[in-house]
Amino acid sequence: LSVHGSGTYRLTLNLPKGKRLYALQLPEIFSSYHLYINDELYLTLGNPNPSTYMPQIHEQTLVFSSEGITTLLIAVTGYNHLYSGMVHPIAFGTYKNISHFTMIKLFFRILILLISISMGVLYIYFYFKTKQKQNITFAFLCFCILGYTSYYLIHVYFTTAIQPWYSIEIFCSYAILALLVILTNQICHIKNAFSRTITYILFSFSVLALLISLLSGLLNPTMRSTFSTLCGLIKGITLLYLLSTTFFSVKNKINHASALLLGIIFFSISLGADLVSPLYESIYTFHYTEIGGMALTFIIGTILWKDLINGYTLHFQYLEDNKQMQRQLEMQRNHYEKLNAKIQETRTIRH
């Protein structure tokens, strides 16, 4: 069956007596809806009427007072995304608790945003200083992580359409895999036709995912199922390649391969957990794959940072050695001039 269409979600609560302030944190609901509280229209986002459908996305927290039997009803319509309806669970509680919950969640997202931007700009600077390809690749990886995780902040502060934000998100998610493969090849000094082929496949699939997301409203169930299967296949191929590559690099005693293998194993566990528990929803932090990806990125960043420190240490050591050599040459030149002057003086006396 098609995932597109209209649906209704209804929840009946038996709240304590005495009116209190409650809050409802509404995540992304795809893609337009009416919210009713006790059969009264409380909020409209977009236009869920199929004949005049207009999609809009906005994460928001609503405050209302109630007591006793309380009915929440959300009527949703979605036609232009890979999935529709209420994909993520809502959060309900007292105003104080929900405010605390949203502030912690927002803090983690802003923290990742700042780290990603800072690291991306920093490694672009290092690239222009050192001309090392690993630095610019890592900078692109940081910006892809930014594109993959920033949608939450965009939809908290702004009411947006579905496109292009979700297409950028899905493109960045698969571009991250391609960039991780490139960085692994660069760190482990792997240059062969097979590694280049894997890279081309991953980048091509990133572009394909972008196009499919943009045209998701036109996909039939068979196309959607095929794309879902391809997504799992691409992740499996990437994991097998990363694990096998770093394992043989450790065996061949390539520098930093052990630390890289540790990060890739952690990333593999996170992807495995995501496959085992696909309905898992993080409360405060991130999904399994986001945590695993950020841990691996941190390890790669540490490896590159260590290489930069070693490079600068060698550079300064070279400058110091060069100064010492220049000093010695200057002393020898002065000594030679004095010796030559003495010889000339002796010749004059003899004459």
Side-chain angles (χ1 to χ4, degrees):
L1 296 176
S2 174
V3 298
H4 294 147
S6 299
T8 302
Y9 302 87
R10 180 186 176 93
L11 179 66
T12 302
L13 302 169
N14 190 359
L15 301 177
K17 291 182 179 179
K19 282 203 170 185
R20 301 181 187 179
L21 270 183
Y22 294 98
L24 196 64
Q25 199 277 331
L26 296 169
E28 306 148 302
I29 299 176
F30 300 94
S31 307
S32 58
Y33 60 89
H34 291 310
L35 169 66
Y36 298 87
I37 299 178
N38 291 330
D39 299 327
E40 291 185 9
L41 183 61
Y42 198 84
L43 173 69
T44 295
L45 189 65
N47 189 344
N49 188 334
S51 60
T52 54
Y53 169 69
M54 183 182 72
Q56 281 188 336
I57 294 291
H58 189 193
E59 293 209 10
Q60 50 197 316
T61 301
L62 305 178
V63 181
F64 64 96
S65 60
S66 186
E67 63 175 333
I69 301 298
T70 303
T71 302
L72 307 177
L73 189 145
I74 303 177
V76 189
T77 298
Y79 284 107
N80 62 344
H81 194 39
L82 291 171
Y83 36 76
S84 61
M86 191 184 292
V87 179
H88 308 290
I90 63 173
F92 171 77
T94 61
Y95 174 71
K96 178 182 177 181
N97 289 342
I98 294 297
S99 297
H100 180 70
F101 155 72
T102 51
M103 289 302 295
I104 291 178
K105 196 171 182 179
L106 196 61
F107 167 77
F108 280 117
R109 264 60 181 186
I110 292 174
L111 182 64
I112 290 299
L113 175 76
L114 295 175
I115 291 174
S116 300
I117 293 175
S118 302
M119 295 287 281
V121 172
L122 183 64
Y123 275 86
I124 285 178
Y125 170 78
F126 287 145
Y127 170 73
F128 285 112
K129 283 289 184 180
T130 64
K131 302 301 180 183
Q132 292 182 348
K133 292 181 180 179
Q134 295 98 315
N135 293 330
I136 193 66
T137 307
F138 186 74
F140 284 141
L141 177 62
C142 291
F143 289 131
C144 280
I145 291 174
L146 174 66
Y148 179 59
T149 58
S150 62
Y151 68 93
Y152 174 81
L153 294 174
I154 291 171
H155 296 141
V156 165
Y157 292 111
F158 306 100
T159 300
T160 70
I162 293 291
Q163 304 299 351
W165 308 109
Y166 286 98
S167 297
I168 293 173
E169 177 203 351
I170 195 170
F171 169 78
C172 289
S173 67
Y174 290 101
I176 286 171
L177 298 180
L179 291 168
L180 286 174
V181 166
I182 292 173
L183 278 169
T184 301
N185 291 336
Q186 291 173 345
I187 292 171
C188 297
H189 309 294
I190 296 171
K191 296 178 181 179
N192 53 51
F194 182 71
S195 63
R196 289 193 294 271
T197 302
I198 292 292
T199 304
Y200 293 148
I201 289 173
L202 290 175
F203 272 120
S204 299
F205 189 80
S206 301
V207 175
L208 176 65
L210 175 65
L211 294 174
I212 287 176
S213 181
L214 289 170
L215 302 173
S216 56
L218 305 176
L219 299 182
N220 59 43
T222 303
M223 293 177 181
R224 198 179 305 274
S225 177
T226 303
F227 176 66
S228 179
T229 303
L230 283 174
C231 290
L233 186 62
I234 287 293
K235 291 177 182 177
I237 290 172
T238 305
L239 278 181
L240 286 175
Y241 178 81
L242 291 175
L243 284 170
S244 59
T245 298
T246 49
F247 176 78
F248 285 113
S249 297
V250 170
K251 195 174 180 181
N252 295 329
K253 298 181 179 180
I254 301 295
N255 194 24
H256 302 311
S258 298
L260 186 61
L261 179 61
L262 179 65
I264 289 172
I265 289 173
F266 191 85
F267 184 56
S268 304
I269 292 171
S270 69
L271 275 181
D274 187 60
L275 292 172
V276 171
S277 181
L279 298 182
Y280 166 75
E281 284 287 341
S282 61
I283 296 176
Y284 292 113
T285 55
F286 307 94
H287 295 284
Y288 293 128
T289 51
E290 291 174 317
I291 294 172
M294 284 185 289
L296 179 55
T297 302
F298 175 78
I299 289 174
I300 291 175
T302 304
I303 290 171
L304 297 181
W305 183 260
K306 188 177 179 181
D307 283 343
L308 283 169
I309 291 174
N310 291 338
Y312 274 103
T313 302
L314 291 173
H315 176 69
F316 288 126
Q317 186 177 349
Y318 167 77
L319 291 177
E320 186 62 31
D321 290 344
N322 190 50
K323 285 182 181 178
Q324 292 286 349
M325 187 178 295
Q326 292 294 333
R327 198 176 293 118
Q328 290 176 3
L329 288 172
E330 184 66 22
M331 291 172 63
Q332 289 177 0
R333 189 177 65 81
N334 292 335
H335 178 70
Y336 173 76
E337 288 177 353
K338 288 179 181 179
L339 184 61
N340 192 46
K342 196 72 176 176
I343 292 171
Q344 292 297 330
E345 183 183 351
T346 303
R347 283 179 179 174
T348 301
I349 293 171
R350 284 179 179 175
H351 178 71

